[in-house]
Amino acid sequence: MHRAPSHKYRPFAPIDLPDRTWPSRRITRPPIWLSTDLRDGNQALIEPMDAARKLRMFRQLVDIGFREIEVAFPSASQTDFDFVRRLIEEGLIPDDVTIQVLTQSREELIRRTFESLRGAKRAIVHLYNPTAPLFRRVVYGKDRAGIVAIATEGARLFAQCAAEQPQTDWRFEYSPETFTMTELDFALEICERVVDVWESATAHPIILNLPATVEVATPNVFADQIEWMHRHLSRRDRVVLSIHPHNDRGTGVAAAELAVMAGADRVEGCLFGNGERTGNVCLVTLAMNLYSQGVDPKLDFSDIGAVIRTAEYCTALPVHPRHPYAGELVFTAFSGSHQDAIKKGLAAQREAQSAGSTLWEVPYLPVDPADVGRTYEAVIRVNSQSGKGGIAYLLERDYGLALPRLLQIEFSQVVQAIADATGKELASADIHAAFEREYVARAAPIAYVDHRAGHAGAHGSVEHLTARLAIGGIETIASGSGNGPVDAFVHALRESVGADVHVLAYHEHATGSGEDATAVAYVQLRAGSRSVYGVGLDPNIVTATLKAVVAAVNRACALGSLALAPPVGAAA
């Protein structure tokens, strides 16, 4: 890089528009959308689409809801010419869809373009010629008057060719290229002269497309340029003001949104930002930005996966996993704090929906993933950056295990150690397997076999429990009494094997329903100076609880905080 970039590059001059109004406006309805995937997007591919891929893309665009589609540059290649002919001759254009084609302002190219459209019910023909000072000086060697002559001669030929094919409902579009680098007074002059030619040649409004063919300034400057043109066009009511933003500075979406606020009626772009160099503005992002603000974009991305598959097949370009709204990872949280907020937000959302609310309000998820055909399966994923909230969410969502908060904290340390050791993402099944190993499947030194319970004392206030256990492989009978089955079982363990443990907390819930319901019990014990959890699952809640106590005792032994005495009683 140059050590003094100011010696090599000049900053773009701001627009003198002190009374600009666009900053205080908001977008309340969608613009007219024009997809140029089959023209600008196609010419930017390493291997342009063949006819089959172009047709698949065309049908996908129609399904999404595009009603204006730029399908080809028919004078540029026989493939493009033939594709336009196929659409027309095979009746593949829906009645509510208007195709558009592009041509430079050269006679032979214009005539070839109109030839490709013979027999079309309706069409937009798009004329362009370079207007910026650099192009005037370096490419054409012409002054302003010479450039205006190129545009108006092409516009007159448009009108003549259209009159020769009266069966087609013609609409005309003009682009001064590149508008963003053209002096505003000259951009206005050349657009006005083209409108002069076309005003009597079509009953439709004339589309004046102002392309940021190269993005050369910040989005606010582009908005100023659009508002300046919006104000100064003498026949604004006869004009559809269109924009065609590219993304050279990485701000194409922002530039398009501000330009619509500044007066633009129409936006040209591509799915997922395909196009020359850094691409055209992404129409998916623009539409979904509107959707997230409560504005119906009139484009349907409810099956974003299908759109991605079509785009990737037709362009041979991947959609980035971080692409807004569409990428594989955009609704995924690995961060522990994000996961905890999402977990709580989804729970609150369910409660709000039960109370009749339709608003979507979940931290870190600006839109409901389900609205674009995504499931909640990938919302929370676990790696070494994750925390208790994400782990607990996956266990509850996939296995119905609602872990108490302190157990969430304890188990997250277990998962963290696994993630740190492997350096990989852990799937939900991996987390569940680790949970089973750590808290449920502990069968040594004590294994639960069965139990019997009864009541004693006045009014049956005392629970008496006898359990059959296998301790160190030896079957043993342990008996005890208490104010409930957990208390009685803990007393039995103290008397049988000297297990100095005390119950600190107990939680239970059911998973499944009806005959398939399973009770889940979570027991926290104090063993010496340490607290440990154990978990038990069984159709019977008491049995599940006793299994949880046994699992907690076994964990305490494994962690070295508890030592058991030889068993007192042996099974008969």
Side-chain angles (χ1 to χ4, degrees):
M1 296 177 68
H2 202 287
R3 291 188 176 183
S6 62
H7 295 172
K8 190 171 184 178
Y9 301 102
R10 287 178 292 184
F12 195 88
I15 308 302
D16 183 19
L17 195 69
D19 59 342
R20 59 183 60 83
T21 61
W22 61 261
S24 60
R25 294 179 180 166
R26 57 188 294 265
I27 303 173
T28 58
R29 65 176 185 272
I32 301 166
W33 302 107
L34 180 283
S35 162
T36 186
D37 288 88
L38 292 168
R39 196 279 299 172
D40 198 332
N42 185 54
Q43 72 186 41
L45 300 177
I46 298 171
E47 294 184 8
M49 298 178 224
D50 59 18
R53 294 184 185 224
K54 292 197 79 167
L55 185 57
R56 177 171 170 176
M57 176 65 83
F58 178 77
R59 286 172 169 158
Q60 180 70 74
L61 295 169
V62 171
D63 289 345
I64 290 168
F66 288 99
R67 294 300 171 256
E68 295 183 7
I69 301 173
E70 191 166 51
V71 296
F73 199 148
S75 65
S77 74
Q78 189 63 42
T79 300
D80 270 18
F81 185 95
D82 291 344
F83 181 67
V84 178
R85 295 307 309 150
R86 182 180 180 186
L87 291 177
I88 295 168
E89 292 171 1
E90 296 183 15
L92 300 176
I93 306 167
D95 289 341
D96 60 346
V97 171
T98 303
I99 61 170
Q100 175 173 307
V101 294
L102 178 74
T103 179
Q104 293 169 299
S105 187
R106 288 166 49 190
E107 180 177 357
E108 69 278 14
L109 302 183
I110 292 172
R111 292 192 181 279
R112 177 73 168 163
T113 300
F114 274 87
E115 181 184 349
S116 75
L117 292 166
R118 190 169 299 278
K121 293 180 181 178
R122 70 179 68 83
I124 301 170
V125 196
H126 183 183
L127 175 72
Y128 81 96
N129 67 284
T131 58
L134 181 62
F135 288 87
R136 299 199 305 261
R137 185 178 71 252
V138 174
V139 180
Y140 283 85
K142 291 182 179 291
D143 59 11
R144 287 188 174 192
I147 297 297
V148 170
I150 292 174
T152 53
E153 287 167 11
R156 279 190 286 272
L157 187 55
F158 262 46
Q160 177 186 325
C161 290
E164 293 169 358
Q165 297 176 220
Q167 72 277 17
T168 300
D169 185 11
W170 298 104
R171 294 171 61 194
F172 300 147
E173 175 175 347
Y174 174 68
S175 291
E177 190 201 14
T178 167
F179 164 75
T180 46
M181 298 171 66
T182 301
E183 309 93 330
L184 282 174
D185 65 317
F186 183 52
L188 178 65
E189 177 189 354
I190 199 166
C191 286
E192 293 277 21
R193 298 295 73 77
V194 170
V195 172
D196 288 342
V197 175
W198 283 345
E199 189 171 23
S200 60
T202 176
H204 294 290
I206 293 155
I207 302 169
L208 291 179
N209 187 53
L210 306 178
T213 314
V214 180
E215 192 177 33
V216 293
T218 50
N220 61 299
V221 173
F222 185 54
D224 281 348
Q225 291 174 315
I226 299 303
E227 182 164 343
W228 191 95
M229 291 290 288
H230 170 68
R231 292 189 194 183
H232 287 83
L233 284 166
S234 62
R235 287 155 287 188
R236 183 65 181 88
D237 60 331
R238 286 280 288 133
V239 165
V240 172
L241 199 58
S242 178
I243 56 171
H244 182 111
H246 277 254
N247 197 43
D248 300 84
R249 293 169 55 90
T251 57
V253 169
E257 290 180 324
L258 298 189
V260 170
M261 292 161 62
D265 307 305
R266 181 175 183 266
V267 177
E268 298 188 351
C270 289
L271 299 178
F272 310 114
N274 186 30
E276 296 280 11
R277 304 180 311 283
T278 57
N280 293 272
V281 66
C282 174
L283 298 183
V284 177
T285 305
L286 277 176
M288 290 304 301
N289 281 358
L290 286 177
Y291 182 79
S292 73
Q293 300 298 302
V295 177
D296 182 359
K298 306 299 183 184
L299 296 177
D300 183 6
F301 293 108
S302 57
D303 189 357
I304 197 71
V307 178
I308 291 171
R309 289 191 294 274
T310 296
E312 290 185 332
Y313 170 76
C314 293
T315 66
L317 295 173
V319 173
H320 196 280
R322 298 293 182 191
H323 193 99
Y325 302 105
E328 178 188 356
L329 297 177
V330 297
F331 296 116
T332 298
F334 288 103
S335 162
S337 60
H338 290 201
Q339 292 175 340
D340 188 57
I342 290 172
K343 176 179 180 291
K344 293 173 180 174
L346 289 172
Q349 185 70 24
R350 287 191 293 270
E351 292 178 5
Q353 289 174 340
S354 298
S357 173
T358 61
L359 289 177
W360 175 261
E361 292 182 309
V362 175
Y364 299 109
L365 296 177
V367 299
D368 185 349
D371 288 353
V372 290
R374 294 287 174 81
T375 67
Y376 296 112
E377 301 300 316
V379 168
I380 290 177
R381 291 162 63 175
V382 173
N383 63 12
S384 61
Q385 302 299 309
S386 305
K388 66 182 188 305
I391 295 164
Y393 173 80
L394 292 178
L395 288 177
E396 183 170 4
R397 184 194 69 190
D398 297 340
Y399 301 97
L401 299 173
L403 275 58
R405 178 175 172 78
L406 292 179
L407 179 54
Q408 293 178 27
I409 295 171
E410 183 180 306
F411 182 51
S412 69
Q413 297 169 359
V414 175
V415 175
Q416 181 78 46
I418 298 171
D420 283 339
T422 62
K424 297 179 179 179
E425 177 187 352
L426 298 181
S428 176
D430 299 326
I431 295 168
H432 182 249
F435 183 78
E436 286 271 344
R437 287 194 305 270
E438 188 70 22
Y439 295 98
V440 181
R442 297 269 184 176
I446 303 176
Y448 169 86
V449 180
D450 61 28
H451 78 279
R452 299 189 308 274
H455 295 281
H459 309 293
S461 58
V462 177
E463 182 96 13
H464 185 77
L465 185 142
T466 299
R468 192 153 55 106
L469 309 172
I471 303 177
I474 302 173
E475 279 207 5
T476 301
I477 298 296
S479 298
S481 299
N483 58 15
V486 177
D487 190 39
F489 188 47
V490 168
H491 280 94
L493 290 174
R494 287 181 193 149
E495 294 171 10
S496 175
V497 292
D500 184 19
V501 294
H502 303 269
V503 176
L504 297 178
Y506 167 71
H507 301 271
E508 65 180 55
H509 66 79
T511 63
S513 59
E515 295 179 355
D516 296 326
T518 298
V520 185
Y522 309 88
V523 174
Q524 184 188 28
L525 300 181
R526 186 177 75 241
S529 60
R530 187 171 196 146
S531 70
V532 290
Y533 263 100
V535 180
L537 292 87
D538 196 89
N540 181 280
I541 184 59
V542 174
T543 304
T545 304
L546 302 188
K547 288 180 176 180
V549 172
V550 169
V553 169
N554 288 337
R555 288 192 70 239
C557 293
L559 294 170
S561 62
L562 183 66
L564 301 183
V568 173

